[in-house]
Amino acid sequence: MRRYAPLTKLILTIIISIWAILFDSPAILAGVAGLQLLLLAITRVSTTVYKGILGLVMFALMLAVMQYLFGATISLALVTGLRMLNMTLIFIIMLASTRISDITAALVKQCRIPSDYAFMFTAALRFIPDFLEESKAVREAQSCRGYSSRGNAFKRMKSYLTVVEPLVLRAVTKSETMAMSLELRGFGSQRQQASLAHVALHGRDYILISLTTLVTLALIINKLQPIGF
Amino acid sequence: MKPAIEFNGFSYAYRQDKLALNNIQVSIPKGSFTVITGPSGAGKTTLCLAIAGAVPQYFGGSVAGNVQVNQTDTRNISMHDLALHVGSVLQDYESQLVAMTVEEEIAFGLENMGMAEHDIQERVRRVLQRVGLEGLEQREVSSLSGGQKQRLAIAGVLVLEPEIIVLDEPTSALDPQGAVQIYELLHTLNSQGVTVVVVEHDLSQVLSYAQQVLVIHEGKLLYCGTLSEVLPCMIDYPELQTAMPILWQVKLQLEEALERKFADWRSVEDAKQDIVRFIMQNKGVCRSA
């Protein structure tokens, strides 16, 4: 997957998401999910990605159970869980196999998205580790002042407010500083934005895009005029 | 020597009710190492932001007088263009790091300037060597240590090759060893011709490097001069005494007790030599008596 251009992976993400909507058989959806896991294994990603996927699988399972408990059939419950899993799996594969700057460059250069919006995407991802670290620091600081995450769900939610409040304030301050520093580093100037990223499409990209697009078109046609898929 | 930065009767208020800076009149020579000090809330950060043009261009507010960088009024040049002359490292330098990897972070400013890819790579390589981060190009920013992040923030502005670099409390979040390394780096840059302006609470860190010290208090410029001119005056202000290096507190007390002037003590070594010289001289006096 790493050899494919970011745009190809972006398109593939959209295509797999469409497939997840078009298919309504749990077996086929499970097959697509299996295929994606195989793709992930070939891509060789870090163990943290697998941990994240395990969390996703648990969430999908929970979603299916909830659906079932609220009156859906087993088949529909499974389809809902698998759809969510398929849509998120491909997104994770894309993120794990592509540099964020390359995704941003593809969004700007090839999808013609204004660089400001594409930058927002990069910046949001860049600050996730910082945000988690700060959340840990605030939790620790608040535990010294009596914060506890024990008790029933309502109690926990109420006490978590003491963590959320300073966290939000810090995030706002950080974003203000960041906005100013961006100005100081020439972001948003009228000059033509350059990029170190290489995002050009190659033969293999065109083949993959064409094949998956054709399959998707066939699936859509089949959905509109069933011929037996 | 022509000044790199000039404050001409500069006053500034974020809002109408209180002046953050009050009639600042000072000149910072080209190639100098200038340290700004003063108690919290004195206006040191505002002074730095005024040099970078963020005050008043980004924050708005009311202004009197002007700030000139290389003889150009900072209000007559956009912040983007001013960034080519003045590199700013903010107090919260971590918020200044916006890219995922070290290489992308350093290249960010150059990409904004629309520079060609080959030139970007060449400049990134050069600046990585300059700040001692070579080999870490592909490292994720979030995995760096505090000192490395500070170096990266400096590299991010240095890559634009500004003549002036302004740093707001660059070592406040660093351990003593990291602080020494950062100041050694700044000293090297200064010796290469870069004008360095640093905000620092603890003057003992900059004793060896500072050529000019500005003391700001309640928005006003209280003192401006060399260490030997400024430090003895600071003793009169209790809120400024915490910034006084212990070495100089000892020196001033010795001078008062012995009624004798010592040379500038920029390091413990200087102090040792001076005291030994004094003792030897006194021995001579005792023997001749």
Side-chain angles (χ1 to χ4, degrees):
Chain A
M1 276 301 276
R2 291 187 196 279
R3 286 162 55 209
Y4 288 96
L7 182 66
T8 311
K9 286 181 255 189
L10 275 168
I11 292 171
L12 199 63
T13 306
I14 297 166
I15 282 175
I16 298 279
S17 301
I18 294 171
W19 288 6
I21 295 165
L22 291 175
F23 291 129
D24 42 22
S25 148
I28 296 176
L29 282 167
V32 176
L35 211 69
Q36 288 193 67
L37 287 174
L38 196 72
L39 210 61
L40 198 72
I42 299 167
T43 309
R44 285 186 192 161
V45 292
S46 68
T47 46
T48 47
V49 176
Y50 287 107
K51 278 183 195 165
I53 286 169
L54 196 70
L56 270 180
V57 172
M58 296 302 287
F59 188 73
L61 209 67
M62 236 169 64
L63 195 70
V65 170
M66 293 281 276
Q67 284 269 320
Y68 182 67
L69 288 177
F70 282 103
T73 61
I74 290 183
S75 171
L76 184 64
L78 281 174
V79 165
T80 312
L82 283 166
R83 272 183 181 158
M84 193 284 291
L85 188 66
N86 272 311
M87 286 177 179
T88 43
L89 261 180
I90 187 65
F91 193 69
I92 286 179
I93 293 172
M94 179 189 72
L95 288 180
S97 63
T98 323
R99 295 192 326 166
I100 302 300
S101 58
D102 291 348
I103 298 175
T104 314
L107 289 171
V108 174
K109 284 182 182 172
Q110 292 160 325
C111 302
R112 303 282 166 205
I113 288 176
S115 58
D116 296 18
Y117 296 104
F119 175 76
M120 281 195 317
F121 173 68
T122 322
L125 290 169
R126 148 77 184 93
F127 281 102
I128 287 173
D130 285 14
F131 197 68
L132 291 175
E133 213 168 280
E134 287 210 349
S135 147
K136 193 176 160 227
V138 172
R139 260 203 321 272
E140 281 170 4
Q142 298 295 54
S143 357
C144 296
R145 301 171 64 197
Y147 162 75
S148 165
S149 56
R150 289 188 187 138
N152 60 38
F154 181 71
K155 249 186 175 175
R156 271 187 287 173
M157 260 170 62
K158 202 178 162 194
S159 60
Y160 199 64
L161 275 179
T162 56
V163 175
V164 171
E165 226 171 282
L167 206 58
V168 169
L169 284 174
R170 276 193 197 204
V172 170
T173 316
K174 241 180 191 312
S175 67
E176 279 174 0
T177 313
M178 188 178 143
M180 186 178 62
S181 91
L182 287 176
E183 287 275 338
L184 290 172
R185 295 175 73 186
F187 184 74
S189 65
Q190 296 305 308
R191 296 183 184 91
Q192 178 73 40
Q193 183 94 10
S195 173
L196 280 181
H198 296 278
V199 292
L201 297 178
H202 297 97
R204 56 177 173 269
D205 294 294
Y206 289 112
I207 293 169
L208 188 66
I209 293 169
S210 311
L211 278 175
T212 48
T213 309
L214 279 174
V215 171
T216 311
L217 283 174
L219 285 171
I220 292 170
I221 291 165
N222 182 55
K223 194 83 179 171
L224 296 173
Q225 297 169 319
I227 50 171
F229 268 114
Chain B
M1 191 184 281
K2 274 185 184 174
I5 305 157
E6 258 187 309
F7 284 84
N8 299 313
F10 187 74
S11 298
Y12 177 74
Y14 287 97
R15 293 181 302 274
Q16 294 294 330
D17 53 345
K18 193 179 174 248
L19 280 177
L21 291 176
N22 191 351
N23 195 24
I24 303 287
Q25 184 78 40
V26 73
S27 164
I28 296 174
K30 260 187 188 152
S32 66
F33 194 116
T34 299
V35 178
I36 304 170
T37 194
S40 298
K44 305 181 295 294
T45 299
T46 309
L47 202 73
C48 291
L49 294 173
I51 298 170
V55 159
Q57 290 194 42
Y58 184 81
F59 289 97
S62 315
V63 179
N66 66 54
V67 183
Q68 293 194 348
V69 171
N70 295 336
Q71 278 78 51
T72 307
D73 191 326
T74 54
R75 281 175 295 177
N76 297 336
I77 180 171
S78 74
M79 278 170 73
H80 303 145
D81 290 329
L82 195 57
L84 293 170
H85 304 282
V86 182
S88 304
V89 179
L90 307 173
Q91 196 173 2
D92 180 9
Y93 57 85
E94 289 204 34
S95 302
Q96 199 167 341
L97 308 175
V98 291
M100 296 298 280
T101 66
V102 170
E103 186 187 41
E104 289 163 19
E105 180 58 42
I106 300 175
F108 181 76
L110 298 175
E111 288 176 347
N112 291 333
M113 298 296 164
M115 194 171 270
E117 190 188 326
H118 176 265
D119 296 334
I120 293 180
Q121 281 171 337
E122 179 54 29
R123 279 218 202 178
V124 169
R125 191 188 58 75
R126 272 207 314 258
V127 87
L128 277 168
Q129 262 182 349
R130 230 170 150 189
V131 300
L133 286 178
E134 61 267 56
L136 299 180
E137 291 85 342
Q138 300 308 320
R139 273 278 291 275
E140 280 195 15
V141 172
S142 54
S143 72
L144 298 177
S145 69
Q148 285 173 327
K149 280 183 184 168
Q150 181 63 273
R151 277 168 186 268
L152 181 58
I154 295 173
V157 297
L158 267 187
V159 80
L160 297 174
E161 299 183 351
E163 306 99 80
I164 303 160
I165 176 166
V166 182
L167 303 102
D168 193 354
E169 297 188 35
T171 59
S172 58
L174 301 183
D175 56 77
Q177 187 58 33
V180 169
Q181 286 173 353
I182 289 297
Y183 274 116
E184 275 173 6
L185 169 66
L186 293 177
H187 176 61
T188 311
L189 294 173
N190 183 234
S191 56
Q192 289 166 355
V194 178
T195 307
V196 177
V197 180
V198 182
V199 170
E200 184 57 78
H201 270 293
D202 178 10
L203 290 179
S204 61
Q205 310 232 39
V206 289
L207 271 183
S208 317
Y209 317 112
Q211 293 159 3
Q212 180 176 280
V213 180
L214 311 182
V215 182
I216 307 286
H217 188 248
E218 292 176 351
K220 290 180 184 158
L221 180 67
L222 215 56
Y223 302 111
C224 169
T226 60
L227 278 170
S228 54
E229 288 166 352
V230 169
L231 287 176
C233 307
M234 282 170 68
I235 208 102
D236 300 333
Y237 287 83
E239 58 270 58
L240 296 176
Q241 279 175 18
T242 48
M244 282 276 288
I246 292 174
L247 207 58
W248 273 71
Q249 288 183 28
V250 172
K251 175 180 138 67
L252 294 173
Q253 282 177 17
L254 273 176
E255 283 180 348
E256 200 182 334
L258 300 171
E259 292 176 354
R260 180 192 193 281
K261 279 272 173 209
F262 288 107
D264 284 1
W265 289 359
R266 288 181 175 267
S267 62
V268 176
E269 200 53 43
D270 283 355
K272 217 163 80 181
Q273 280 177 8
D274 221 9
I275 291 170
V276 168
R277 204 177 303 126
F278 170 73
I279 292 169
M280 296 306 281
Q281 278 172 2
N282 269 20
K283 266 186 184 173
V285 170
C286 288
R287 272 191 201 132
S288 60

